[in-house]
Amino acid sequence: MADDSTVHEPLIADEPDLDPDSRSLQFASSAESAADQHGRPTAFIWALTVAAGISGLLFGYDTGVISSTLVSIGSDLSHRPLTTLDKSLITSSTSLFALIASPVTGVLADRLGRKRIIIIADVLFILGAVWQAVARSVWGMIFGRSVVGLAVGGASLVVPLYISELSPPAFRGRLVTLSILFITVGQMAAYVVGWKLSSIVYGWRWMVGLGSVPAIIQSGLFLLLPETPRWLMKVGHLDKARKVLRKVYGAGSTAVVEKLLRSIDNEILEEEESLSVFRAQSLPVKLDVNWSEKLRDNWRQLFQNGGNRRALTIACLLQGLQQLCGFNSLMYFSATIFSLVGFDSPTLASLSVAVTNCIFTVVAIFLIDIIGRRRILLHSIPIMILGLLLTAVAFHFLPVATEKTEVTHGADSYPGVWPVSILLFIMLYVSSYALGLGNVPWQQSELFPLSVRAMGSGIATSTNWGTNFIVGLTFLPMMQFLTPVWTFVLYAIVCVCGYFCIWKIYPETRGLGLEEVGELLKDGWGVEVGAT
């Protein structure tokens, strides 16, 4: 690893220095050339994205499988039925430990690299899945879920970062969104597995245990895959970075690759020079700077630099809104909800929601780099609000016993018009969520410069898991004490507030290179000057 105590020396020499505007134009030209030369991403970048996206499959499977598991456990844990508190703790423990893991992962991703963190997350996924499968008590189940939470917290941060740092600008949005598609496929697979195994004795143990299989596959694949070129450049491995970029951009891309390498090198130099000035002002007596001090410097740089602070504000806003809008409460507790309103096969009803999420995430893959991040949010969130309010209205005409926690089956259990309406309105909400808020927040790494990219993404991801923990812990109590009507109205109010915040401060980043977005936020929010 490069020595942290010295200022980064240029890795590419013999080229006159360029002012920031010229470098930005140079990079944009490089990216454009790549996009024109390659009308689609190369097979290599598709392979990397798919391999990395398996982490999304794991996260989605875990999110979906807990919905079926909660209504299938019965008295298998601690020899008693699960209480509302048990369900809330089992569900939210994953989010809590993901919250703990995310900021630590942000630091380790800079120290160890993106690839190694993904492999470590796979090991934790395997351990957590196996532990859940053999758990005999509620607290044993919570422990297994917590281990999975550490894996989810790490993978949810590093995988979008890994894909973003490898992707050409013209395709970055759709490739990151493809990793979100894997989440929806995982959720859908979990509901299918839950539907098939829910009637089998101890079937829920197979449900959670099967989560180890994709992790085993991914860990094997990642032993063969490269590190990101930007991290390789950061630690001084120019030749390795060049080799990776040539595979990313394909044959005949030498000029594009060299310009991109120079752009990354210039960004690293600027950041190191800025950090050296900061050190000279704050630590004048220090002759060298060790890794922990560099970490503190980067922390201060993230919060004291205006552009970095604005990037962090936007990323945390989007990640928090993604959870506080209530979507994952549907993923965690959809089977419970549909059981409450009278569906004889609540897991099958949940599957229809997961399929909707998957279909519209596919649509988002094709739209996000055409419509743009900001615009797709401003168009989809109002539809989310409508879906939530209609769901609240349907619940008003369908009184339910919210203390009910188990699935009941009966020959006469046929849902009427209002239960079916609730399903349709939830599908409307989920479809609009999948188009925008389900994937745009995970574009977060494009907002940060390289020096604070992992750390900023880690804090933003912690915001996601912190709010996820709150939603998972409070949803069932809210349904019981606030009633379903006011629970969904509250989520709608959160979406209204989020809409106006996005309209005010979130600029368009479609088509911009990673090294260009920093310029957009350097002197303001960039809403008026963002790419259109």
Side-chain angles (χ1 to χ4, degrees), residues 253-314:
S253 60
T254 301
V256 171
V257 168
E258 292 305 317
K259 288 181 180 180
L260 182 53
L261 287 171
R262 187 172 301 282
S263 177
I264 298 169
D265 197 40
N266 286 333
E267 183 191 14
I268 296 172
L269 279 172
E270 287 180 358
E271 291 169 354
E272 288 291 345
E273 290 167 1
S274 174
L275 197 54
S276 295
V277 172
F278 175 81
R279 289 171 184 159
Q281 292 173 345
S282 59
L283 302 167
V285 298
K286 291 281 186 180
L287 298 178
D288 60 2
V289 181
N290 61 33
W291 182 76
S292 63
E293 289 169 338
K294 181 178 173 65
L295 176 62
R296 287 194 293 271
D297 290 345
N298 285 343
W299 181 269
R300 295 189 191 102
Q301 191 179 28
L302 177 62
F303 285 95
Q304 293 181 7
N305 180 282
N308 294 343
R309 194 167 56 245
R310 280 183 282 273
L312 184 63
T313 300
I314 294 169

Coordinates of all heavy atoms in Angstrom, one line a residue, residues 253-314:
S253 N -9.2 1.3 -27.0 CA -9.5 2.3 -26.1 C -8.3 2.9 -25.4 O -8.4 3.6 -24.4 CB -10.5 1.8 -25.0 OG -9.8 0.7 -24.3
T254 N -7.1 2.8 -26.0 CA -5.9 3.2 -25.3 C -5.9 4.7 -25.0 O -5.6 5.1 -23.9 CB -4.7 2.9 -26.2 OG1 -4.6 1.5 -26.4 CG2 -3.4 3.4 -25.5
A255 N -6.3 5.5 -26.0 CA -6.4 7.0 -25.7 C -7.3 7.4 -24.6 O -7.1 8.2 -23.8 CB -6.7 7.7 -27.0
V256 N -8.5 6.7 -24.7 CA -9.5 7.0 -23.6 C -9.0 6.6 -22.3 O -9.2 7.4 -21.3 CB -10.8 6.3 -24.0 CG1 -11.8 6.4 -22.8 CG2 -11.5 6.8 -25.3
V257 N -8.4 5.4 -22.2 CA -7.9 4.9 -20.9 C -6.8 5.9 -20.3 O -6.8 6.2 -19.2 CB -7.4 3.5 -21.1 CG1 -6.6 3.1 -19.8 CG2 -8.5 2.5 -21.3
E258 N -5.9 6.3 -21.2 CA -4.8 7.2 -20.7 C -5.4 8.5 -20.2 O -4.9 9.1 -19.2 CB -3.8 7.4 -21.8 CG -3.0 6.1 -22.2 CD -2.3 5.5 -21.0 OE1 -1.7 6.3 -20.2 OE2 -2.4 4.3 -20.9
K259 N -6.3 9.1 -20.9 CA -6.9 10.3 -20.5 C -7.7 10.2 -19.1 O -7.6 11.0 -18.3 CB -7.9 10.9 -21.5 CG -7.2 11.4 -22.8 CD -8.3 11.9 -23.8 CE -7.6 12.5 -25.0 NZ -8.6 13.0 -26.0
L260 N -8.3 9.0 -19.0 CA -9.1 8.8 -17.8 C -8.1 8.6 -16.6 O -8.3 9.1 -15.5 CB -10.0 7.5 -17.9 CG -10.8 7.1 -16.7 CD1 -11.6 8.3 -16.2 CD2 -11.7 6.0 -17.1
L261 N -7.0 7.8 -16.9 CA -6.0 7.7 -15.8 C -5.4 9.0 -15.4 O -5.2 9.2 -14.2 CB -4.8 6.8 -16.4 CG -5.2 5.3 -16.5 CD1 -4.1 4.5 -17.2 CD2 -5.4 4.6 -15.1
R262 N -5.1 9.9 -16.4 CA -4.6 11.2 -16.0 C -5.6 12.0 -15.2 O -5.2 12.7 -14.3 CB -4.2 12.0 -17.3 CG -3.5 13.3 -17.0 CD -3.0 13.9 -18.3 NE -2.1 13.0 -19.0 CZ -0.8 12.8 -18.6 NH1 -0.3 13.4 -17.6 NH2 0.0 11.9 -19.3
S263 N -6.9 11.9 -15.6 CA -7.9 12.6 -14.8 C -8.0 12.1 -13.4 O -8.1 13.0 -12.4 CB -9.3 12.4 -15.5 OG -10.3 13.1 -14.8
I264 N -7.9 10.8 -13.2 CA -7.9 10.3 -11.8 C -6.7 10.7 -11.0 O -6.7 11.1 -9.9 CB -8.0 8.7 -11.8 CG1 -9.3 8.3 -12.5 CG2 -7.9 8.1 -10.4 CD1 -9.4 6.8 -12.8
D265 N -5.5 10.7 -11.7 CA -4.3 11.0 -11.1 C -4.3 12.5 -10.7 O -3.8 12.9 -9.6 CB -3.1 10.8 -12.1 CG -1.8 10.8 -11.4 OD1 -1.7 10.2 -10.3 OD2 -0.8 11.3 -12.0
N266 N -4.8 13.4 -11.5 CA -4.9 14.8 -11.2 C -5.8 15.0 -10.0 O -5.5 15.9 -9.1 CB -5.5 15.6 -12.4 CG -4.4 15.7 -13.5 OD1 -3.2 15.7 -13.3 ND2 -4.9 15.9 -14.7
E267 N -6.9 14.3 -9.9 CA -7.8 14.4 -8.8 C -7.1 14.0 -7.5 O -7.2 14.7 -6.5 CB -9.1 13.5 -9.0 CG -10.1 13.7 -7.8 CD -11.2 12.7 -7.8 OE1 -11.1 11.7 -8.6 OE2 -12.2 12.9 -7.1
I268 N -6.4 12.9 -7.5 CA -5.6 12.5 -6.3 C -4.6 13.5 -5.9 O -4.5 13.8 -4.7 CB -5.0 11.1 -6.6 CG1 -6.0 10.0 -6.9 CG2 -4.1 10.7 -5.4 CD1 -5.4 8.7 -7.3
L269 N -3.9 14.1 -6.9 CA -2.9 15.1 -6.6 C -3.6 16.3 -6.0 O -3.1 16.9 -5.0 CB -2.2 15.6 -7.9 CG -1.1 14.7 -8.4 CD1 -0.6 15.1 -9.8 CD2 0.1 14.7 -7.4
E270 N -4.7 16.8 -6.5 CA -5.4 18.0 -6.0 C -5.8 17.7 -4.5 O -5.7 18.5 -3.6 CB -6.6 18.3 -6.8 CG -6.2 19.0 -8.1 CD -7.5 19.3 -8.9 OE1 -8.6 19.0 -8.5 OE2 -7.3 19.8 -10.0
E271 N -6.3 16.5 -4.3 CA -6.8 16.2 -2.9 C -5.7 16.1 -2.0 O -5.8 16.5 -0.8 CB -7.6 14.8 -3.0 CG -8.9 14.9 -3.7 CD -9.5 13.6 -4.0 OE1 -8.9 12.6 -3.7 OE2 -10.7 13.5 -4.5
E272 N -4.5 15.5 -2.4 CA -3.4 15.4 -1.5 C -2.8 16.8 -1.2 O -2.4 17.1 -0.1 CB -2.3 14.5 -2.1 CG -2.7 13.0 -2.1 CD -2.7 12.4 -0.7 OE1 -2.1 13.1 0.2 OE2 -3.2 11.3 -0.6
E273 N -2.8 17.6 -2.2 CA -2.2 19.0 -2.0 C -3.1 19.8 -1.1 O -2.6 20.5 -0.2 CB -2.1 19.7 -3.4 CG -1.0 19.2 -4.2 CD -1.1 19.7 -5.7 OE1 -2.1 20.5 -6.0 OE2 -0.3 19.3 -6.5
S274 N -4.4 19.6 -1.2 CA -5.4 20.3 -0.3 C -5.2 19.8 1.1 O -5.2 20.5 2.1 CB -6.8 20.1 -0.8 OG -7.7 20.6 0.1
L275 N -5.0 18.4 1.2 CA -4.9 17.8 2.5 C -3.6 18.2 3.2 O -3.5 18.4 4.4 CB -5.0 16.3 2.4 CG -5.2 15.5 3.7 CD1 -6.5 16.0 4.4 CD2 -5.4 14.0 3.4
S276 N -2.5 18.4 2.4 CA -1.2 18.8 2.9 C -1.3 20.2 3.5 O -0.7 20.5 4.5 CB -0.2 18.8 1.8 OG 0.0 17.5 1.4
V277 N -2.1 21.1 2.8 CA -2.3 22.5 3.3 C -3.0 22.4 4.6 O -2.7 23.1 5.6 CB -3.0 23.3 2.3 CG1 -3.4 24.7 2.9 CG2 -2.2 23.5 1.0
F278 N -4.0 21.6 4.7 CA -4.8 21.4 5.9 C -3.9 20.9 7.1 O -4.0 21.4 8.2 CB -6.0 20.5 5.7 CG -6.8 20.1 6.9 CD1 -7.8 21.0 7.3 CD2 -6.5 19.0 7.6 CE1 -8.5 20.7 8.5 CE2 -7.2 18.7 8.8 CZ -8.2 19.5 9.2
R279 N -3.1 20.0 6.8 CA -2.2 19.4 7.8 C -1.2 20.5 8.3 O -0.9 20.6 9.5 CB -1.4 18.2 7.3 CG -2.2 17.0 7.1 CD -1.4 15.9 6.4 NE -2.2 14.7 6.1 CZ -1.9 13.9 5.1 NH1 -0.9 14.0 4.4 NH2 -2.7 12.8 4.9
A280 N -0.7 21.3 7.3 CA 0.3 22.3 7.7 C -0.4 23.4 8.6 O 0.3 23.9 9.5 CB 0.8 23.0 6.5
Q281 N -1.7 23.6 8.4 CA -2.3 24.6 9.2 C -2.8 24.1 10.6 O -2.7 24.8 11.6 CB -3.6 25.1 8.5 CG -3.3 25.9 7.2 CD -4.5 26.2 6.4 OE1 -5.6 25.6 6.6 NE2 -4.4 27.2 5.5
S282 N -3.2 22.8 10.6 CA -3.7 22.2 11.9 C -2.7 21.4 12.7 O -2.8 21.3 13.9 CB -4.9 21.3 11.6 OG -4.5 20.3 10.7
L283 N -1.6 20.9 12.0 CA -0.6 20.1 12.7 C 0.8 20.5 12.3 O 1.5 19.8 11.7 CB -0.8 18.6 12.3 CG -2.2 18.0 12.6 CD1 -2.3 16.6 11.9 CD2 -2.3 17.8 14.1
P284 N 1.2 21.8 12.6 CA 2.4 22.3 12.1 C 3.7 21.6 12.6 O 4.7 21.7 12.0 CB 2.4 23.8 12.6 CG 1.4 23.8 13.7 CD 0.4 22.7 13.4
V285 N 3.5 20.9 13.8 CA 4.7 20.3 14.3 C 4.9 18.9 13.9 O 5.9 18.2 14.3 CB 4.7 20.4 15.9 CG1 4.7 21.8 16.3 CG2 3.5 19.6 16.4
K286 N 4.0 18.3 13.2 CA 4.0 16.9 12.7 C 5.0 16.8 11.5 O 4.9 17.5 10.5 CB 2.7 16.4 12.3 CG 1.7 16.3 13.5 CD 2.0 15.0 14.3 CE 0.9 14.8 15.4 NZ 1.2 13.6 16.2
L287 N 5.9 15.8 11.6 CA 6.8 15.6 10.5 C 6.3 14.5 9.6 O 6.7 14.4 8.5 CB 8.2 15.2 11.0 CG 8.9 16.3 11.9 CD1 10.2 15.8 12.4 CD2 9.0 17.6 11.0
D288 N 5.5 13.6 10.1 CA 4.8 12.6 9.3 C 3.4 12.3 9.8 O 3.0 12.8 10.9 CB 5.6 11.3 9.4 CG 5.8 10.7 10.8 OD1 5.2 11.3 11.7 OD2 6.4 9.7 11.0
V289 N 2.6 11.7 9.0 CA 1.2 11.4 9.4 C 0.9 10.0 9.2 O 1.1 9.4 8.1 CB 0.3 12.3 8.4 CG1 -1.1 12.0 8.8 CG2 0.7 13.7 8.5
N290 N 0.5 9.3 10.3 CA 0.2 7.9 10.2 C -1.2 7.7 9.7 O -1.9 8.6 9.5 CB 0.5 7.2 11.5 CG -0.4 7.7 12.6 OD1 -1.6 8.1 12.4 ND2 0.1 7.7 13.8
W291 N -1.6 6.4 9.5 CA -2.9 6.1 8.9 C -4.0 6.6 9.7 O -5.0 7.2 9.2 CB -3.0 4.6 8.8 CG -4.3 4.2 8.1 CD1 -4.6 4.3 6.7 CD2 -5.4 3.7 8.7 NE1 -5.9 3.9 6.5 CE2 -6.4 3.4 7.7 CE3 -5.8 3.3 10.0 CZ2 -7.7 2.9 7.9 CZ3 -7.0 2.8 10.3 CH2 -8.0 2.6 9.2
S292 N -4.0 6.5 11.1 CA -5.1 7.0 11.9 C -5.2 8.5 11.8 O -6.4 9.0 11.8 CB -4.9 6.5 13.4 OG -3.7 7.1 13.9
E293 N -4.1 9.2 11.7 CA -4.2 10.7 11.6 C -4.7 11.1 10.2 O -5.5 12.0 10.1 CB -2.8 11.3 11.8 CG -2.4 11.2 13.3 CD -0.9 11.5 13.5 OE1 -0.2 11.4 12.5 OE2 -0.6 11.8 14.6
K294 N -4.3 10.3 9.2 CA -4.9 10.5 7.9 C -6.4 10.3 7.9 O -7.2 11.1 7.2 CB -4.2 9.6 6.8 CG -4.7 9.8 5.4 CD -4.0 8.9 4.5 CE -4.6 9.0 3.1 NZ -4.4 10.3 2.4
L295 N -6.8 9.3 8.6 CA -8.3 9.0 8.7 C -9.0 10.2 9.4 O -10.1 10.6 8.9 CB -8.5 7.8 9.5 CG -9.9 7.4 9.9 CD1 -10.7 7.1 8.6 CD2 -10.0 6.2 10.8
R296 N -8.4 10.8 10.4 CA -9.0 12.0 11.1 C -9.0 13.2 10.1 O -10.0 13.9 10.1 CB -8.3 12.3 12.4 CG -8.5 11.3 13.5 CD -8.1 11.9 14.8 NE -6.6 12.0 14.9 CZ -5.8 11.1 15.3 NH1 -6.3 9.9 15.7 NH2 -4.5 11.3 15.3
D297 N -7.9 13.3 9.3 CA -7.9 14.4 8.4 C -9.0 14.3 7.3 O -9.7 15.2 7.0 CB -6.5 14.4 7.6 CG -5.4 14.8 8.5 OD1 -5.7 15.4 9.6 OD2 -4.2 14.6 8.2
N298 N -9.2 13.0 6.8 CA -10.3 12.8 5.9 C -11.7 13.1 6.5 O -12.6 13.6 5.8 CB -10.2 11.4 5.3 CG -9.1 11.2 4.3 OD1 -8.5 12.1 3.8 ND2 -8.7 9.9 4.1
W299 N -11.8 12.7 7.7 CA -13.1 13.0 8.4 C -13.3 14.5 8.5 O -14.4 14.9 8.2 CB -13.0 12.4 9.8 CG -14.3 12.5 10.7 CD1 -14.5 13.6 11.5 CD2 -15.4 11.7 10.7 NE1 -15.8 13.4 12.1 CE2 -16.3 12.2 11.6 CE3 -15.7 10.5 10.0 CZ2 -17.6 11.6 11.9 CZ3 -16.9 9.9 10.3 CH2 -17.8 10.5 11.2
R300 N -12.3 15.2 8.9 CA -12.5 16.7 8.9 C -12.7 17.3 7.5 O -13.6 18.2 7.4 CB -11.2 17.3 9.5 CG -11.0 17.0 11.0 CD -9.8 17.8 11.5 NE -9.4 17.4 12.8 CZ -8.3 16.7 13.0 NH1 -7.5 16.4 12.0 NH2 -7.9 16.3 14.2
Q301 N -12.0 16.7 6.6 CA -12.2 17.2 5.2 C -13.6 17.0 4.7 O -14.2 17.8 4.0 CB -11.2 16.5 4.3 CG -11.1 17.1 2.9 CD -10.1 16.4 2.0 OE1 -9.8 15.2 2.2 NE2 -9.5 17.1 1.1
L302 N -14.2 15.8 5.1 CA -15.6 15.5 4.7 C -16.6 16.5 5.2 O -17.5 17.0 4.5 CB -16.0 14.1 5.2 CG -17.4 13.6 4.9 CD1 -17.6 13.6 3.4 CD2 -17.6 12.3 5.5
F303 N -16.4 17.0 6.5 CA -17.3 17.9 7.1 C -17.0 19.3 7.0 O -17.9 20.2 7.0 CB -17.5 17.5 8.6 CG -18.3 16.3 8.8 CD1 -17.7 15.0 9.0 CD2 -19.7 16.3 8.9 CE1 -18.4 13.9 9.2 CE2 -20.4 15.1 9.1 CZ -19.8 13.9 9.2
Q304 N -15.7 19.7 6.8 CA -15.3 21.1 6.7 C -15.3 21.6 5.3 O -15.5 22.8 5.1 CB -14.0 21.3 7.4 CG -14.0 21.0 8.9 CD -12.6 21.3 9.5 OE1 -11.7 21.7 8.9 NE2 -12.5 20.9 10.8
N305 N -15.2 20.8 4.3 CA -15.2 21.2 2.9 C -16.7 21.3 2.5 O -17.5 20.4 2.6 CB -14.5 20.2 2.0 CG -14.5 20.5 0.6 OD1 -15.5 20.4 -0.1 ND2 -13.4 21.1 0.1
G306 N -17.0 22.5 2.0 CA -18.4 22.8 1.6 C -19.0 21.8 0.6 O -20.2 21.3 0.8
G307 N -18.3 21.5 -0.4 CA -18.8 20.6 -1.5 C -19.0 19.2 -0.9 O -20.0 18.5 -1.2
N308 N -18.0 18.7 -0.1 CA -18.2 17.4 0.5 C -19.4 17.4 1.5 O -20.1 16.4 1.6 CB -16.9 17.0 1.3 CG -15.7 16.8 0.4 OD1 -15.9 16.7 -0.8 ND2 -14.5 16.9 0.9
R309 N -19.5 18.4 2.2 CA -20.7 18.5 3.2 C -22.0 18.5 2.5 O -22.9 17.8 2.9 CB -20.5 19.8 4.0 CG -21.4 19.8 5.3 CD -21.0 20.9 6.2 NE -21.0 22.2 5.6 CZ -19.9 22.9 5.4 NH1 -18.7 22.5 5.8 NH2 -19.9 24.1 4.8
R310 N -22.1 19.2 1.3 CA -23.3 19.2 0.6 C -23.6 17.8 0.0 O -24.7 17.3 -0.1 CB -23.2 20.2 -0.6 CG -23.5 21.7 -0.1 CD -23.5 22.7 -1.2 NE -22.2 23.0 -1.6 CZ -21.5 24.0 -1.0 NH1 -21.9 24.7 0.0 NH2 -20.2 24.3 -1.5
A311 N -22.5 17.1 -0.5 CA -22.7 15.8 -1.0 C -23.2 14.8 0.0 O -24.1 14.0 -0.2 CB -21.3 15.3 -1.6
L312 N -22.6 15.0 1.2 CA -23.1 14.1 2.3 C -24.5 14.4 2.7 O -25.3 13.4 3.0 CB -22.2 14.3 3.6 CG -22.4 13.4 4.8 CD1 -22.2 12.0 4.4 CD2 -21.5 13.8 5.9
T313 N -24.9 15.6 2.7 CA -26.3 16.0 3.0 C -27.3 15.4 2.0 O -28.3 14.8 2.4 CB -26.5 17.5 3.0 OG1 -25.6 18.1 4.0 CG2 -27.9 17.9 3.3
I314 N -27.0 15.5 0.8 CA -27.8 14.9 -0.3 C -27.9 13.4 -0.1 O -29.0 12.8 -0.2 CB -27.3 15.3 -1.7 CG1 -27.5 16.8 -1.9 CG2 -28.1 14.5 -2.8 CD1 -26.7 17.3 -3.1

